[in-house]
Amino acid sequence: MIKIIFKTIWNQRKQNTWIMIELILVGFFLWKSINPLVGIVSTGMVNEGYEDSRLYCSQFSMYDKSSDHYDAKTDNDTINHDIFMRVVNAIKQCPEVESYGVASGWFSVPNSTNYRGNSISCDTAHHTTQIYGMCHEAGGDLMKAYKFKDAITGKTMEYNNKISTKQAVYISEQLAKDIFGTTNVIGKSLHFEGDPTTLKVAGVFKEVNTKTHTTPFAGLTLCDQTLKDCGYTNAIICFRLKEGTDAIKFEEKFKHHIAPRFEVGNFINLSLISMKHIKKDFMENDGINNQCRLQIMMSGFFLICVFLGMVGTFWIRCNNRRGEIGVMKAIGYSTNRITTQFITEAFIIVTIAFIVSIILMLNIAYMQDFFKIDPVHINYPYLSFHPVKMFAVVSAITYIIMIFISLLGTYIPVRRATKALPADALKEE
């Protein structure tokens, strides 16, 4: 049968050449259309490293000196610290609260538009890192509230009480591997660029993606900061509600019964916002949602055009050979054999066209430095950081789509033609 198939393809080379040219162009542009979709989907599928369900953030506002309500007598560190800690304790004692911690600012909250980073080093090894600050003196455990996972045990991260709070630093798994080559680094020394203070690694947590649907460009480091240093209006009280808690009722309770109790001194407006809302705002404001919608719409429209075009091409090709199908039926070919022959022809034509289009795509990708690998990102799990794998995955998806559409556009008209009587089909021969 294979010899007959290749002979048939060769005998119809004029018609098949035009089909292949069409398929080469389809393969090229389909690859270009699928590539960004694969990047979006693969990035979204990577574990964020924390849990945003039932997670809330609360922050104070204060009257400044220009306000008529400003009270200079109560504006001192002792009073401010006392009021802030009363709020922390009030949240801590709520029966709905499972865990809590205090972040030193919005730059220490996932999906915040704020960012703080530095270079962290051990001897001669320097690596860029994103920095989260946490206020240990306020109690609780920020990593436990976020539900970071220990890179070694897989359990929820907790403070390491064996290392001094002022010296303790917690780093992400990949950052530990980049600096030390291993995750077994508890007790090893580090320091930030421009700061001679020696820090000790107190824990290693699994990778955290602090910006949803984006690829991280640096590992994450958590270190301690005092409330006074970060500022009482900058500090963020983060807490997680117990599973099964009615979030709407708790929000009402917080708004009407908890927040008003602490509008004293210069403190006003104890706000409350859920982590899911923060994530939603980030994705809207950063244009991620619009980018995803636009890409899906464009790729979807192109896929529909490809589907209709390829199905139409193979449908017409099969219908033009109804007489040939009648002859095959007349000399005793079974329906399955006729279908198999036509499907195999379509498979071979698409495969040849796909190989040519991929060779073309390879050359263009090479000229555009698509395969350039950044050593900083080579160990991260994101597919977009591994261009060879990315190219292979996109190419495989492109090939599968082309094969599926071509076989669909061949199978249906061929099966319909084989159901006709040979005499009726021969009238077209």
Side-chain angles (χ1 to χ4, degrees):
M1 182 188 287
I2 295 297
K3 289 183 179 180
I4 295 173
I5 290 171
F6 277 104
K7 187 176 181 180
T8 302
I9 293 174
W10 176 253
N11 289 337
Q12 298 176 354
R13 58 187 176 276
K14 186 175 180 180
Q15 179 189 8
N16 290 334
T17 297
W18 286 108
I19 293 175
M20 282 190 183
I21 291 173
E22 175 191 339
L23 293 176
I24 289 169
L25 293 174
V26 165
F28 175 80
F29 288 108
L30 186 59
W31 195 100
K32 296 283 286 184
S33 176
I34 291 173
N35 180 46
L37 273 184
V38 172
I40 291 171
V41 173
S42 63
T43 301
M45 289 175 63
V46 174
N47 190 343
E48 293 181 325
Y50 69 95
E51 295 181 20
D52 59 7
S53 60
R54 313 185 315 279
L55 188 59
Y56 284 84
C57 295
S58 183
Q59 183 185 30
F60 262 125
S61 296
M62 290 182 72
Y63 291 120
D64 58 25
K65 294 180 180 179
S66 62
S67 172
D68 294 335
H69 300 283
Y70 174 74
D71 184 1
K73 295 179 181 179
T74 60
D75 189 10
N76 63 72
D77 183 65
T78 302
I79 294 177
N80 291 340
H81 186 278
D82 178 65
I83 296 173
F84 188 91
M85 289 307 303
R86 283 164 55 195
V87 175
V88 172
N89 290 328
I91 292 174
K92 170 187 174 182
Q93 292 168 7
C94 285
E96 301 92 341
V97 173
E98 176 183 288
S99 55
Y100 75 100
V102 178
S104 58
W106 282 113
F107 62 82
S108 301
V109 176
N111 293 307
S112 166
T113 54
N114 295 11
Y115 177 87
R116 187 176 75 167
N118 200 344
S119 177
I120 195 168
S121 61
C122 171
D123 299 327
T124 57
H126 297 268
H127 294 272
T128 301
T129 178
Q130 182 177 358
I131 299 173
Y132 271 18
M134 49 189 179
C135 304
H136 189 265
E137 68 171 283
D141 189 329
L142 187 64
M143 293 181 294
K144 187 176 179 180
Y146 285 162
K147 287 201 172 182
F148 285 2
K149 301 298 180 184
D150 192 296
I152 298 173
T153 65
K155 298 179 180 179
T156 301
M157 280 289 292
E158 294 184 1
Y159 282 132
N160 184 346
N161 295 321
K162 295 180 181 179
I163 296 177
S164 168
T165 302
K166 293 181 179 179
Q167 281 190 303
V169 65
Y170 301 82
I171 60 177
S172 61
E173 182 178 16
Q174 193 55 56
L175 187 60
K177 291 179 180 178
D178 290 341
I179 298 174
F180 301 104
T182 178
T183 56
N184 187 21
V185 296
I186 305 300
K188 292 193 176 183
S189 300
L190 288 170
H191 65 271
F192 288 116
E193 184 178 2
D195 187 349
T197 305
T198 299
L199 304 171
K200 298 287 184 180
V201 178
V204 179
F205 51 87
K206 290 186 179 293
E207 217 56 45
V208 174
N209 185 8
T210 59
K211 308 289 184 184
T212 298
H213 275 283
T214 61
T215 49
F217 52 88
L220 180 62
T221 300
L222 276 80
C223 55
D224 188 59
Q225 194 171 355
T226 64
L227 278 172
K228 184 178 180 180
D229 288 341
C230 68
Y232 298 103
T233 56
N234 291 326
I236 312 293
I237 305 170
C238 304
F239 58 94
R240 184 180 299 278
L241 300 181
K242 293 178 181 177
E243 193 168 352
T245 300
D246 189 322
I248 296 177
K249 287 185 177 179
F250 178 82
E251 289 172 10
E252 288 296 315
K253 173 184 175 180
F254 188 94
K255 180 180 178 180
H256 297 292
H257 300 288
I258 296 178
R261 289 161 47 193
F262 300 101
E263 292 184 357
V264 294
N266 291 308
F267 284 90
I268 55 170
N269 189 25
L270 181 61
S271 64
L272 181 70
I273 185 170
S274 70
M275 189 62 71
K276 286 186 178 292
H277 190 79
I278 293 172
K279 178 189 286 189
K280 181 181 177 182
D281 284 350
F282 168 75
M283 294 182 70
E284 288 290 346
N285 296 332
D286 208 52
I288 295 173
N289 283 343
N290 290 335
Q291 180 185 353
C292 290
R293 292 188 194 108
L294 180 62
Q295 191 58 57
I296 291 170
M297 288 173 61
M298 292 176 63
S299 298
F301 176 75
F302 186 75
L303 280 172
I304 292 172
C305 293
V306 167
F307 178 83
L308 295 176
M310 284 185 63
V311 167
T313 297
F314 282 94
W315 198 294
I316 293 171
R317 180 177 182 272
C318 295
N319 278 340
N320 288 341
R321 297 171 64 188
R322 287 173 63 86
E324 182 183 337
I325 293 172
V327 172
M328 296 171 73
K329 288 282 288 184
I331 62 176
Y333 277 38
S334 67
T335 298
N336 287 339
R337 180 169 179 178
I338 296 171
T339 305
T340 301
Q341 178 173 328
F342 274 74
I343 284 177
T344 306
E345 287 178 20
F347 179 83
I348 292 171
I349 291 171
V350 171
T351 300
I352 293 171
F354 173 76
I355 291 172
V356 175
S357 67
I358 285 302
I359 292 173
L360 177 63
M361 194 63 238
L362 268 170
N363 283 278
I364 293 175
Y366 180 78
M367 288 188 292
Q368 295 179 345
D369 289 331
F370 179 86
F371 297 104
K372 186 178 180 180
I373 301 175
D374 189 338
V376 175
H377 299 146
I378 194 169
N379 294 316
Y380 283 91
Y382 296 88
L383 191 61
S384 55
F385 288 161
H386 303 273
V388 175
K389 290 182 181 179
M390 182 77 166
F391 188 91
V393 170
V394 176
S395 300
I397 293 173
T398 302
Y399 182 60
I400 290 170
I401 291 174
M402 291 178 68
I403 288 293
F404 173 76
I405 296 174
S406 64
L407 297 187
L408 184 66
T410 300
Y411 179 82
I412 296 175
V414 169
R415 295 295 288 191
R416 290 178 63 184
T418 56
K419 291 178 181 179
L421 293 173
D424 295 333
L426 286 170
K427 291 177 183 178
E428 302 180 28
E429 179 65 19

